[in-house]
Amino acid sequence: MYLHNQVIQGLRDRKRAALARAVTLVEDGSEHAQHILEEAYRLKGRSKIIGITGSPGVGKSTLVDSLIEAIRERGDSVGVIAVDPSSPFTGGAILGDRVRVRSRTTDDGVFFRSLASRGYLGGLSRNTGDVITLFDAFGFDYVLVETVGTGQSEVDIMRYAHSVLVVMAPGLGDDIQAIKAGILEIGDVFCVNKADRPDADRDVAVLEAMLGLNKDWQWRPPVVKTVASQGKGVPELLDKIDEHLGFLKQGNLLEERVSRSYLAALEANLRRQTVEHVLSKSRSDGSLDCALKQLSEGKTYPAALARQLVEKYLCSGV
Amino acid sequence: MYLHNQVIQGLRDRKRAALARAVTLVEDGSEHAQHILEEAYRLKGRSKIIGITGSPGVGKSTLVDSLIEAIRERGDSVGVIAVDPSSPFTGGAILGDRVRVRSRTTDDGVFFRSLASRGYLGGLSRNTGDVITLFDAFGFDYVLVETVGTGQSEVDIMRYAHSVLVVMAPGLGDDIQAIKAGILEIGDVFCVNKADRPDADRDVAVLEAMLGLNKDWQWRPPVVKTVASQGKGVPELLDKIDEHLGFLKQGNLLEERVSRSYLAALEANLRRQTVEHVLSKSRSDGSLDCALKQLSEGKTYPAALARQLVEKYLCSGV
């Protein structure tokens, strides 16, 4: 029996080891991955997929842990995907992974996995959609996708979520304004964590004011105060997330979110494959070196060169 | 006389207003941009391009300000490009911009500009290389490119730099380990800012240990302690940056970095143009909707679909 058949059977039987194996095979781009993904995209569609983002120091990990508690208290199962930066030196993500997993190995209703960034070209966005689909296919009630920061790739990853939770915290210094600004547009629910800190109410007010600038919300994102370390406000936060999912279903907007996630996954794969195609073609026939030489000699500029290469290697498809 | 000719003349005459105008035209993708870029890529090659990254709260802005001081004290000129997240609501980046510019309008040797993220698809990485080239063409001695966070796009932006400075600070909580891990591999010089805090020496030790794990450095990245708010350690930091640039020149490695930046710029443009090409083609002939429908019905998976579209719309170029 082929490895991928064993893994697929394991996924159907909701074996955690099979899920872990599947994620690794997909992350490594193994030839087994395609068979597993084919099946996963057939099985998917059961999970509520929640994207959770916010800058370092807001207490995301603690909040995720207490969200897990709240979800488990309702008797629902939850899978957690943490998209971390990692390093060839330390494999930082994996470390974080172990720590978190160890704290919950006793609970079969929770599964935690960290995804490492794989180098430059679309590294982060490349497999995330596939891994989320593996979790969905496994059939968790909730899948939490946690990312650090407000980089483009984090924003891209949020496109895979049905609901996006943006976490903030008081007293992170000047940068918080920019961070708020950067992710205001992607949040469905906002959380001001560490709400026992002095500036919490001011931050909530600023946030409400910023959200108030947009007059034509279909769904006005609520702002919830939490103290994750004590679990305060977390059940209410989970309620708001469920409310948003309910809103999406009522308005038949869930399909929109889902097809947004398909488009995101397609784009992520296209970005990688088209660029690889053009780069490898132009490498093999020497036109890439020639192109870089032209750039270094100031004979042209990147956008024009890209246009030339696109015209050369992309045909009308007719 | 065409607008772009005026701007080009202004760039040659080192008029700051012309540079500001040029950046805006390039950011907006105006039809004047291509003429300006053609000229800019001819004029470029005078500036030392320094990438500066680190998570929010490490005091990057303050450090950049004191680096500006140190550079100016040597009589050199400096252009600063801050790549910020921004928002349709607040235009946060522009705000930050004004504040910083106002504090220095009296000094002709300094020019500051914020770049806003422009939506999802490669928004950040799209124009950054071109804007850096405009600054280079203007002829600043140093161009500082500042990004927040450790997202994929921030990493991409660092590929445009000759030297990459990674800024950290003690006491940012659990996340700092992950952040260190994420950007260890891209730093040429490391800076532990807010070094008057208790945990500074421990963080320096951890960092040195992590860097020590790699045995075959051509250039072992130095770690410099700074207290940017008091300018402490900043001249030494600038010396280390210059040392690295000297190392690159000696080993004829600068060309490598420069051609790395050309490749990054080409890839950024290819990512956008190839995906746009394939998406627009497949939209217009209905195969995109069909593809998304297949995904929603679980009949295929994104990587396979992307491959189909690539095969359909990308030809051999023969």
Side-chain angles (χ1 to χ4, degrees), chain A:
Chain A
M1 187 173 175
Y2 285 117
L3 171 60
H4 56 258
N5 292 331
Q6 293 173 26
V7 173
I8 288 167
Q9 193 51 53
L11 279 177
R12 286 215 199 80
D13 303 342
R14 313 197 74 247
K15 293 247 190 322
R16 294 152 58 91
L19 177 56
R21 192 66 186 276
V23 172
T24 305
L25 290 168
V26 165
E27 267 208 294
D28 296 347
S30 143
E31 77 275 7
H32 297 289
Q34 53 178 307
H35 304 288
I36 295 165
L37 286 173
E38 256 177 85
E39 180 64 15
Y41 273 85
R42 257 193 296 276
L43 295 170
K44 72 175 168 4
R46 319 182 204 173
S47 306
K48 303 172 181 177
I49 297 164
I50 316 299
I52 303 175
T53 190
S55 60
V58 298
K60 254 189 327 301
S61 311
T62 318
L63 185 68
V64 167
D65 289 344
S66 42
L67 272 172
I68 292 171
E69 301 290 347
I71 291 169
R72 294 300 294 139
E73 271 164 25
R74 297 182 178 184
D76 288 336
S77 63
V78 55
V80 182
I81 300 168
V83 182
D84 286 352
S86 84
S87 156
F89 301 169
T90 65
I94 316 307
L95 270 170
D97 196 325
R98 290 223 196 83
V99 177
R100 303 273 283 281
V101 171
R102 201 186 303 118
S103 69
R104 295 207 142 271
T105 36
T106 54
D107 182 351
D108 253 14
V110 180
F111 186 85
F112 186 97
R113 178 71 177 237
S114 286
L115 293 191
S117 159
R118 296 296 173 96
Y120 285 132
L121 191 50
L124 273 177
S125 45
R126 178 168 157 187
N127 292 322
T128 313
D130 290 337
V131 173
I132 293 169
T133 302
L134 289 173
F135 274 59
D136 186 351
F138 189 83
F140 293 108
D141 296 303
Y142 290 84
V143 174
L144 310 182
V145 185
E146 172 192 353
T147 69
V148 174
T150 58
Q152 193 62 41
S153 47
E154 281 81 358
V155 175
D156 285 339
I157 287 165
M158 289 302 110
R159 297 168 70 194
Y160 294 113
H162 301 151
S163 296
V164 174
L165 169 64
V166 174
V167 187
M168 295 162 184
L172 281 190
D174 299 337
D175 286 296
I176 189 135
Q177 207 62 23
I179 293 153
K180 277 180 188 166
I183 50 189
L184 258 186
E185 64 231 60
I186 67 171
D188 299 306
V189 177
F190 288 84
C191 165
V192 174
N193 190 32
K194 303 185 180 181
D196 50 353
R197 285 191 182 176
D199 292 344
D201 291 328
R202 192 211 55 195
D203 277 23
V204 171
V206 171
L207 188 50
E208 292 281 9
M210 288 167 115
L211 291 167
L213 292 174
N214 181 350
K215 296 306 175 198
D216 37 46
W217 290 108
Q218 284 184 287
W219 162 268
R220 164 65 146 84
V223 180
V224 183
K225 284 198 286 183
T226 59
V227 184
S229 55
Q230 306 161 30
K232 277 188 192 161
V234 176
E236 295 74 5
L237 181 60
L238 187 55
D239 290 338
K240 289 298 180 186
I241 291 168
D242 286 336
E243 261 179 49
H244 178 253
L245 289 164
F247 159 80
L248 289 178
K249 281 181 186 140
Q250 276 182 0
N252 299 319
L253 299 167
L254 189 57
E255 293 75 1
E256 256 178 50
R257 291 294 174 110
V258 171
S259 92
R260 177 178 80 172
S261 74
Y262 293 143
L263 189 56
L266 189 60
E267 281 177 5
N269 282 280
L270 276 177
R271 253 196 305 282
R272 183 166 50 89
Q273 290 187 31
T274 54
V275 174
E276 276 174 5
H277 175 95
V278 172
L279 284 181
S280 68
K281 289 283 181 193
S282 56
R283 256 197 201 92
S284 58
D285 69 9
S287 47
L288 182 62
D289 288 343
C290 163
L292 295 175
K293 190 161 174 297
Q294 283 179 283
L295 278 177
S296 65
E297 291 165 351
K299 288 184 180 158
T300 179
Y301 59 101
L305 261 187
R307 212 170 301 123
Q308 287 173 28
L309 293 175
V310 167
E311 276 160 16
K312 182 169 179 186
Y313 297 111
L314 279 65
C315 56
S316 66
V318 180

